[in-house]
Amino acid sequence: MPAAGIPRMGRQGIFIHSLWRSGSTWLFEQFRRSPAGYFCYQEPFHEALVQLDENPESLLGFSEETARSLRHPHLGHPYFQEFYDVREALRGKFRPCMSYEAFFDPSVCPGLEDYVQTLINAAPAAPVLQCCRSFGRVRHLREAHGGVHMLLWRDAVSQWFSYQINDYFDVVCLLVLNARNPPAPILALREKIGLSGCRTENFDSLYQSMRCFPLDMEQRYLIFYTLWLYSLLENHPQCDLDINLDRLTEDTSYAGLVTRSLASAGVNAVDLSSARSPVVFLEKSERQKFLVLERQVEEMFLDTGYSQQQVRDILEIRNSNRPRRRATVGALRNNLRQAREMAYRYADRLSESRGS
């Protein structure tokens, strides 16, 4: 839970760091709805924000249709409403390299610090920055901007299955791997899957190139688990609060502990009672397949300089937060099995279509 000496909020930001499909949109909306009146930025490094200068109205359409397709909770306002509201202060500040090229090395994209500080300064109330594209640079953001930093996460297997609603999340994971000057485990993974660094000024072209990169189900999980483990290894020690969505869903005493920890950091009136974390429980043979892939990734971190103790500590944290097996009626159990089978078939179809 919280690190010792959590900084109290002044005129600094509240940062939520996570991978995709971790409940970040839900938590963002709880801040938005809070009577404390937070000013909430959804995804400040999202590639769509390139429209801020020339076509800011287009950002307001990124709402209900997207929420339905991604099974996000209903949002009272468009995703990017707050960026639109302060668009004049942000004019000329956002640069495309902030999304992925500078994912691990902020120096690649001059202007990153100015952009983030402008978001903080332009907010008419306490600013919240909900980020799924920050987990490679949490230390830098903390050192440059201070504030309160939260790490939001859930168990890896269920999160990966949640990625399987479309190919967007696999593509953005590849875009992260393609970042400039990545750390050693990311370089090792790039070599393992045969991804060479691709450089182009045209983001649409790069996106399509990554979309066509052939990946089978095992490679997709290797990529995801590498990023998942990297985020916990690097950011669990950096963040003031560690919030596990599975425990938040299942354990009211844990939710109370998180609420008190938030309050000790000056973050109040955020209702956590509606947390929901769908869980996928694997059959024995499936579980063994995922364990083999996870061991490969963990060995890769050990081979690239992480200590046995570092990896062991994070795996213990994972184990202590594993979701409990929840009672399900037969029909729901069958639905979950069908969902897993559909995810596997989807992965296979993508691999076949990209390799053709």
Side-chain angles (χ1 to χ4, degrees):
M1 274 302 298
I6 295 177
R8 294 192 61 81
M9 286 302 301
R11 188 54 174 147
Q12 295 178 314
I14 302 168
F15 292 81
I16 304 169
H17 306 287
S18 74
L19 276 71
W20 298 271
R21 313 298 288 173
S22 298
S24 55
T25 302
W26 164 79
L27 185 55
F28 162 82
E29 185 65 6
Q30 305 321 300
F31 273 94
R32 250 192 187 173
R33 294 178 179 179
S34 169
Y38 299 102
F39 194 77
C40 303
Y41 296 107
Q42 169 85 319
E43 296 276 32
F45 306 119
H46 196 293
E47 59 269 17
L49 292 170
V50 73
Q51 300 292 332
L52 262 173
D53 288 353
E54 301 301 326
N55 189 18
E57 285 74 18
S58 68
L59 297 174
L60 299 180
F62 197 93
S63 55
E64 286 305 308
E65 182 178 347
T66 302
R68 285 193 299 271
S69 68
L70 298 179
R71 298 200 297 269
H72 280 169
H74 172 75
L75 300 180
H77 302 287
Y79 276 48
F80 299 127
Q81 179 70 57
E82 287 78 3
F83 296 91
Y84 182 83
D85 292 344
V86 299
R87 60 192 181 279
E88 290 306 317
L90 295 174
R91 183 167 293 280
K93 301 286 186 179
F94 181 84
R95 298 181 59 189
C97 54
M98 294 175 185
S99 298
Y100 301 106
E101 281 193 271
F103 203 95
F104 298 106
D105 182 359
S107 69
V108 165
C109 198
L112 179 68
E113 292 178 12
D114 181 42
Y115 167 68
V116 173
Q117 195 59 49
T118 299
L119 290 172
I120 293 170
N121 294 343
V128 176
L129 293 82
Q130 188 283 109
C131 313
C132 292
R133 293 165 181 79
S134 61
F135 61 88
R137 42 196 167 183
V138 172
R139 181 189 295 271
H140 175 84
L141 290 168
R142 184 183 186 107
E143 291 175 353
H145 305 286
V148 171
H149 293 257
M150 309 175 198
L151 180 63
L152 176 67
W153 63 286
R154 61 188 286 207
D155 193 62
V157 171
S158 295
Q159 186 174 349
W160 180 80
F161 273 99
S162 184
Y163 274 36
Q164 306 314 310
I165 56 174
N166 59 36
D167 64 357
Y168 176 77
F169 299 106
D170 288 313
V171 174
V172 293
C173 284
L174 286 171
L175 289 169
V176 171
L177 297 192
N178 189 60
R180 293 181 184 270
N181 305 327
I186 304 302
L187 281 173
L189 179 61
R190 282 185 4 186
E191 182 175 348
K192 186 178 182 68
I193 65 172
L195 178 69
S196 57
C198 179
R199 304 294 162 224
T200 175
E201 295 293 321
N202 188 313
F203 178 80
D204 290 338
S205 173
L206 178 61
Y207 185 92
Q208 289 304 318
S209 175
M210 295 300 168
R211 192 168 184 266
C212 294
F213 189 81
L215 294 170
D216 60 25
M217 172 264 166
E218 293 186 357
Q219 289 172 316
R220 291 167 67 179
Y221 189 71
L222 283 174
I223 292 169
F224 166 77
Y225 189 68
T226 299
L227 296 179
W228 184 92
L229 185 58
Y230 174 85
S231 180
L232 280 181
L233 282 165
E234 290 295 319
N235 299 325
H236 181 77
Q238 290 295 319
C239 289
D240 306 301
L241 292 118
D242 178 291
I243 305 176
N244 180 268
L245 186 67
D246 299 313
R247 285 191 66 191
L248 204 58
T249 298
E250 299 172 343
D251 187 347
T252 55
S253 63
Y254 176 77
L257 179 60
V258 172
T259 299
R260 292 191 294 275
S261 297
L262 287 169
S264 73
V267 181
N268 297 293
V270 180
D271 182 3
L272 303 177
S273 62
S274 60
R276 295 293 180 271
S277 178
V279 177
V280 173
F281 292 105
L282 301 175
E283 307 291 346
K284 185 176 181 179
S285 60
E286 293 177 298
R287 188 162 60 248
Q288 185 58 36
K289 180 189 296 185
F290 279 83
L291 283 173
V292 168
L293 295 171
E294 290 176 0
R295 294 298 88 79
Q296 289 182 36
V297 171
E298 290 153 17
E299 286 297 324
M300 187 169 63
F301 276 86
L302 295 175
D303 291 344
T304 54
Y306 287 79
S307 70
Q308 289 275 1
Q309 190 64 50
Q310 283 177 293
V311 174
R312 188 182 302 118
D313 287 348
I314 289 303
L315 295 182
E316 288 178 0
I317 290 169
R318 179 191 185 183
N319 288 331
S320 67
N321 286 279
R322 281 190 185 276
R324 295 191 295 261
R325 185 171 288 277
R326 304 167 190 171
T328 57
V329 297
L332 180 55
R333 191 177 300 113
N334 288 336
N335 287 343
L336 290 172
R337 185 177 296 111
Q338 290 172 2
R340 295 202 308 275
E341 291 171 354
M342 288 174 64
Y344 290 138
R345 288 198 298 271
Y346 180 69
D348 290 339
R349 285 199 305 273
L350 280 178
S351 177
E352 291 167 3
S353 65
R354 289 170 175 173
S356 61

